Amino acid sequence: MNKPIDALLLLLPSEAFADYRKNTAARIDQSAEANAMRNGARVGVSRPHESAHLHVAGEATYIDDIPELAGTLHCALGLSPVAHGKLTGMALDTLRALPGVVLVISASDIAGPNDCGSIVHDDPILCDGEIRYLGQPVFAVVASTREAARRAAAKAGDVLTIAAEPPVLTPQQAHAKGQYVLPPMHLVRETHGGAQAAIAKAPHRLKSTFEVGGQEQFYLEGQISYAIPTEGGGMHLYCSTQHPSEMQHLVAHALQLHAHDVHVECRRMGGGFGGKESQSAIFACVASVAAARLKRPVKLRLDRDDDFLITGRRHCFWYEYEAGYDDEGRVLGAEITMVSRAGHSADLSGPVMTRALCHFDNAYWLPDVAMHGFSGKTNTQSNTAFRGFGGPQGAIAIENILDSVARALGKDPMDVRRANFYGKDNNNVTPYGQVVTDNIIHELSAELEASSDYRARRAAITAFNTTSPVLKRGIALAPLKFGISFNVKHFNQAGALVHVYNDGSILVNHGGTEMGQGLNTKVAQVVAHELGVSFDSVRVTATDTQKVANTSATAASTGADLNGKAAQDAARQIRERLAVCIAGHHGGAPEAVRFANDKVEVNGRSLPFSTVVAQGYLDRVQLWSDGFYATPGLSWDKEKMFGRPFYYFAYGAAVSEVVVDTLTGEWKLLRADILHDAGKSLNPAVDIGQIEGAFIQGMGWLTTEQLVWHPTTGKLMTHAPSTYKIPTANDCPPVFNCRLYDGQNVEDSIHRSKAVGEPPLLLPFSVFFAIRDAVSAVAEHRVDPPLTAPATSEAILRAITAVQTAA
């Protein structure tokens, strides 16, 4: 589902393998790729993930697989059993006396600042006296075994004295109290007098509320850090993190060291999805503090339940909105208040809300709009990055509004959506002032509408529903426009190192991190293409703060864009040096030298790449280079919320068809058709895998993945797979058509490709609105269904009951 890897599929039954081959042939032009490969192309062609053979053989090394050094100790965290209050006492000597316990540390044992806040310094490593949420780390136990450490840490409720206070748990409660982790944000555009004036003059008006839940990242590899003291008081940290440089800085601050004293390394993660961008910091800092105090290696690996209880996830949002529209469903004015559950600290809630506000427009022209964002401070885990980073929460609000508008007017929701699309030459400026110069949403959605037989299926579904009193079908087409770049300008930079050894083999290091998404595969393809060698000639090594410094997080879908460009820059410099060298020996112009298919064509001669490299070494040509890239043309005024925060937009659309049992609220996805814009794809197989995976992950967010906190104790009750339901292979539709849109990026991205990490997560909006369509059919679409997300069976049944009652 997540990656069409040939090596993995060899393990499947022959019928499944045959079906995959048939589907892949339909989605990817294999003959064109073969021709491109023969002509020397190493990008734009499908390749298995660079670690696929290691994954299926069980040989891929993750942090917990690194052989433990002699004397390694194990750490576990003591968690608060109370959601809000004051810590008045700790009887930690009781724990120190337990078998196997070597050390127990609290906030006072941290040499530097007791803080791991990503942007705002409001996030203590260990509790500093204020209990902020149930599950907050209060102390850490270091023991000879992991089991001994966990047993001691589990006694937190026996050794902590806490004066409990009532917790604030929901964004609505926080908003009512005016309790926020950051000042409110406002993004306003006034084209015809402002939102309220436009709403007042509109022929039709809509006013309502809506809400979407949060989502656990559920990476397969949990949070883990392994800290090893080095000579001179330094620290070598192996950490499962999307942001090694941030871990380096935070650990250095906690230990009162310089950045150059801390070495952070990450070969790969077993998933991240944003949950390891900032939230790996607590574990990195605690393990390092313990290792520094004891001068022994310390490993901290979380149990899944503790991971749920300690770390944050996708922000849930509550909305209150009002819109005015005309007879065709065109939105004339809209005002919306978005309130997120930020949790107990700011973490990345500010940038998440910024992106939510900047994606409320999705693919639509909104002439007069007023958006207000509030990051509610609650006594829950501090919510953080998750694939989409606020974009899905912003975009689903306008989709819900347009769906309701369509039902009020008795129109097909697709027609209302199309009526509101951004224009090509006018009505093409976002509320934050960026001109949409690459708009392909009209062509893409029309192509999908035709290829999915949307109109015919809509008619067939209507006919089915008229004769089916219990089972109701629904269908929806949902488009997307998603901005690519970090909203913070200076994060849009990357570095890389490329080494060519004198046997012709190549080693690459870059600042991005591999978490299964295929970043290293794409970077290796870029370098292989630039130097004209086979993919197998290139090896990508672990992300390492001692090799590429001051890196940005692998996030915001920028991994390949930034690091691919940096690696290309480094490889190009080496290629140009070798061209000058070999042209000096054989004649001809250096710019006429061609590198392809492991050969170098120079002045009518064809030489093996390894021969040219060997000659370069003899001629003292520098065979390594650093590369750098900074995304051009970006600007952003965070106070005015105005500028060009995105380098380009990615587009896509999906059609989903569902069937709903109106007696139980159960449902099934029958078919999904996806057409997604990946520009000129670097690796179509990897990109299609990412799109399919994002679709299913987003479907889980909107349907089955429900987070529930106890209303009085504040405990997260859904803290394990027994109570928190992510999608499985059984939830994939029996008909799943996914294709890449034929086009290229208008901007000079890496080989004119587009990012595919986050944008496809908006595609399963089509599933949610197909369910809403089926619920609406209960009353023949006369009543707007009050369906919220996640659309669990219980939520669906409640919406059905409401529709039946209103009808």
Side-chain angles (χ1 to χ4, degrees):
M1 178 180 71
N2 286 330
K3 299 183 198 66
I5 301 173
D6 288 352
L8 177 60
L9 288 161
L10 290 172
L11 303 179
L12 296 176
S14 59
E15 304 84 28
F17 185 74
D19 288 344
Y20 166 75
R21 284 297 191 194
K22 180 180 178 181
N23 291 337
T24 300
R27 295 179 296 179
I28 299 173
D29 191 338
Q30 295 176 324
S31 62
E33 287 193 4
N35 288 333
M37 291 272 295
R38 282 191 291 271
N39 291 326
R42 296 296 180 263
V43 296
V45 296
S46 296
R47 288 203 57 88
H49 190 286
E50 50 91 23
S51 293
H53 61 295
L54 301 175
H55 293 153
V56 298
E59 296 178 1
T61 300
Y62 297 88
I63 303 298
D64 203 35
D65 299 318
I66 297 171
E68 293 176 3
L69 298 179
T72 292
L73 298 171
H74 297 266
C75 186
L77 297 171
L79 310 181
S80 169
V82 174
H84 186 210
K86 297 294 182 183
L87 179 64
T88 59
M90 295 188 290
L92 299 183
D93 287 342
T94 304
L95 304 182
R96 295 183 177 106
L98 293 175
V101 173
V102 177
L103 177 71
V104 180
I105 60 175
S106 61
S108 61
D109 297 307
I110 299 172
N114 178 32
D115 177 77
C116 59
S118 181
I119 300 173
V120 181
H121 301 302
D122 65 345
D123 203 341
I125 298 168
L126 296 174
C127 177
D128 55 5
E130 178 189 4
I131 297 295
R132 300 172 171 218
Y133 67 101
L134 194 155
Q136 179 181 0
V138 180
F139 60 85
V141 177
V142 183
S144 56
T145 67
R146 183 168 179 265
E147 183 64 22
R150 290 186 64 208
R151 285 184 180 275
K155 295 183 178 294
D158 299 330
V159 301
L160 300 179
T161 303
I162 300 170
E165 300 173 16
V168 173
L169 300 176
T170 69
Q172 296 96 315
Q173 290 173 340
H175 191 46
K177 287 177 172 286
Q179 187 172 296
Y180 312 113
V181 296
L182 295 163
M185 301 179 187
H186 305 280
L187 176 53
V188 176
R189 171 163 61 192
E190 297 182 352
T191 304
H192 305 294
Q196 282 302 317
I199 293 169
K201 295 175 184 176
H204 308 281
R205 287 178 290 281
L206 170 69
K207 186 175 184 179
S208 190
T209 62
F210 183 56
E211 61 184 287
V212 296
Q215 184 181 24
E216 168 64 30
Q217 291 90 357
F218 217 105
Y219 26 68
L220 292 183
E221 177 202 32
Q223 297 279 2
I224 181 171
S225 286
Y226 185 28
I228 302 170
T230 58
E231 63 182 15
M235 189 64 62
H236 187 176
L237 178 68
Y238 293 96
C239 183
S240 185
T241 180
Q242 295 171 236
H243 203 343
S245 287
E246 183 169 299
M247 299 307 107
Q248 177 191 33
H249 297 152
L250 291 171
V251 168
H253 291 156
L255 299 181
Q256 291 190 314
L257 298 174
H258 294 293
H260 67 208
D261 296 317
V262 179
H263 175 197
V264 180
E265 190 173 348
C266 178
R267 170 60 182 91
R268 61 172 62 82
M269 287 167 276
F273 305 112
K276 296 176 181 176
E277 182 175 346
S278 62
Q279 301 240 333
S280 45
I282 287 179
F283 318 108
C285 290
V286 169
S288 298
V289 167
R293 282 181 63 88
L294 293 169
K295 295 183 171 50
R296 290 174 64 177
V298 173
K299 180 187 285 189
L300 198 172
R301 174 167 65 87
L302 288 191
D303 174 83
R304 178 67 65 179
D305 293 80
D306 288 347
D307 201 323
F308 262 84
L309 289 173
I310 297 170
T311 64
R313 46 198 60 85
R314 185 188 301 282
H315 295 67
C316 76
F317 270 59
W318 177 82
Y319 314 85
E320 189 172 34
Y321 59 82
E322 187 176 8
Y325 55 96
D326 64 16
D327 292 341
E328 298 303 312
R330 284 185 288 264
V331 175
L332 305 176
E335 182 160 14
I336 185 166
T337 293
M338 304 184 188
V339 186
S340 70
R341 178 192 275 125
H344 71 92
S345 67
D347 195 81
L348 298 173
S349 293
V352 165
M353 182 57 74
T354 299
R355 188 169 281 262
L357 296 175
C358 288
H359 281 77
F360 175 64
D361 63 326
N362 194 18
Y364 311 112
W365 162 250
L366 304 175
D368 286 85
V369 61
M371 295 170 272
H372 315 287
F374 300 86
S375 300
K377 185 175 183 178
T378 55
N379 296 117
T380 57
Q381 296 81 5
S382 189
N383 284 328
T384 190
F386 194 136
R387 195 177 198 172
F389 202 78
Q393 293 99 310
I396 197 171
I398 189 64
E399 293 296 339
N400 193 69
I401 290 171
L402 294 179
D403 201 66
S404 295
V405 166
R407 300 195 189 285
L409 294 174
K411 292 181 175 292
D412 189 313
M414 181 58 224
D415 293 332
V416 171
R417 289 183 166 96
R418 179 175 284 112
N420 284 280
F421 278 164
Y422 273 111
K424 298 275 190 173
D425 301 315
N426 53 48
N427 297 343
N428 63 343
V429 181
T430 66
Y432 46 89
Q434 179 164 346
V435 178
V436 182
T437 58
D438 57 354
N439 188 357
I440 59 171
I441 196 61
H442 298 266
E443 299 89 339
L444 188 150
S445 59
E447 182 178 329
L448 180 64
E449 181 182 350
S451 66
S452 66
D453 294 323
Y454 174 82
R455 298 291 177 180
R457 289 165 63 195
R458 166 68 74 185
I461 287 169
T462 300
F464 173 87
N465 287 338
T466 59
T467 59
S468 178
V470 175
L471 298 180
K472 297 294 184 181
R473 291 193 175 190
I475 191 170
L477 190 156
L480 72 89
K481 172 184 68 68
F482 195 92
I484 303 298
S485 290
F486 288 100
N487 277 70
V488 180
K489 180 180 176 181
H490 67 264
F491 288 165
N492 295 284
Q493 59 175 299
L497 295 172
V498 175
H499 293 182
V500 177
Y501 295 97
N502 57 20
D503 66 349
S505 63
I506 299 160
L507 193 72
V508 180
N509 189 269
H510 60 85
T513 53
E514 174 64 50
M515 60 194 94
Q517 83 278 37
L519 173 59
N520 284 350
T521 306
K522 289 184 174 181
V523 171
Q525 287 181 268
V526 167
V527 172
H529 184 85
E530 200 67 25
L531 293 173
V533 300
S534 62
F535 179 84
D536 293 336
S537 297
V538 181
R539 183 184 183 98
V540 181
T541 57
T543 310
D544 190 325
T545 57
Q546 289 190 347
K547 293 181 179 177
V548 178
N550 308 319
T551 60
S552 295
T554 304
S557 303
T558 62
D561 282 4
L562 296 177
N563 296 286
K565 276 285 195 179
Q568 181 188 50
D569 179 45
R572 180 185 293 121
Q573 294 177 54
I574 298 171
R575 188 195 71 210
E576 291 173 351
R577 293 174 197 148
L578 287 173
V580 171
C581 169
I582 206 65
H585 284 275
H586 298 284
E591 56 270 20
V593 177
R594 182 172 182 266
F595 293 70
N597 295 319
D598 295 304
K599 301 289 185 182
V600 180
E601 307 291 336
V602 52
N603 201 22
R605 300 189 61 179
S606 179
L607 303 173
F609 178 76
S610 58
T611 298
V612 173
V613 169
Q615 185 61 59
Y617 174 71
L618 294 176
D619 289 353
R620 298 185 295 177
V621 172
Q622 181 181 329
L623 296 176
W624 62 269
S625 184
D626 62 309
F628 181 77
Y629 176 73
T631 309
L634 302 179
S635 64
W636 182 245
D637 186 326
K638 69 177 183 178
E639 302 302 325
K640 297 179 180 178
M641 299 200 74
F642 191 86
R644 186 195 176 188
F646 306 121
Y647 188 37
Y648 61 85
F649 295 102
Y651 299 86
V655 173
S656 292
E657 181 179 346
V658 304
V659 61
V660 171
D661 185 331
T662 61
L663 298 181
T664 65
E666 295 175 282
W667 66 280
K668 184 174 179 62
L669 177 60
L670 301 174
R671 175 176 169 180
D673 295 80
I674 296 171
L675 183 59
H676 192 77
D677 165 35
K680 192 175 180 182
S681 172
L682 291 172
N683 187 322
V686 165
D687 284 350
I688 286 176
Q690 282 291 295
I691 294 163
E692 292 172 342
F695 181 88
I696 298 299
Q697 186 175 53
M699 182 180 75
W701 167 48
L702 294 172
T703 58
T704 64
E705 299 184 42
Q706 185 177 25
L707 294 162
V708 178
W709 281 266
H710 192 282
T712 56
T713 67
K715 181 177 181 179
L716 178 64
M717 305 304 291
T718 50
H719 55 80
S722 58
T723 51
Y724 185 81
K725 300 298 183 181
I726 64 172
T728 69
N730 290 332
D731 297 301
C732 294
V735 180
F736 198 2
N737 303 314
C738 180
R739 293 186 299 114
L740 299 181
Y741 182 73
D742 186 13
Q744 66 176 21
N745 199 336
V746 299
E747 299 293 348
D748 183 25
S749 59
I750 184 68
H751 290 287
R752 301 286 176 172
S753 64
K754 287 190 178 183
V756 295
E758 294 176 304
L761 201 118
L762 280 66
L763 294 169
F765 286 3
S766 58
V767 176
F768 178 81
F769 289 107
I771 293 173
R772 199 171 191 262
D773 188 55
V775 173
S776 177
V778 170
E780 299 179 350
H781 305 292
R782 297 190 307 271
V783 179
D784 195 37
L787 184 65
T788 58
T792 61
S793 293
E794 295 87 348
I796 292 171
L797 198 56
R798 287 194 297 270
I800 289 171
T801 301
V803 168
Q804 291 171 331
T805 301

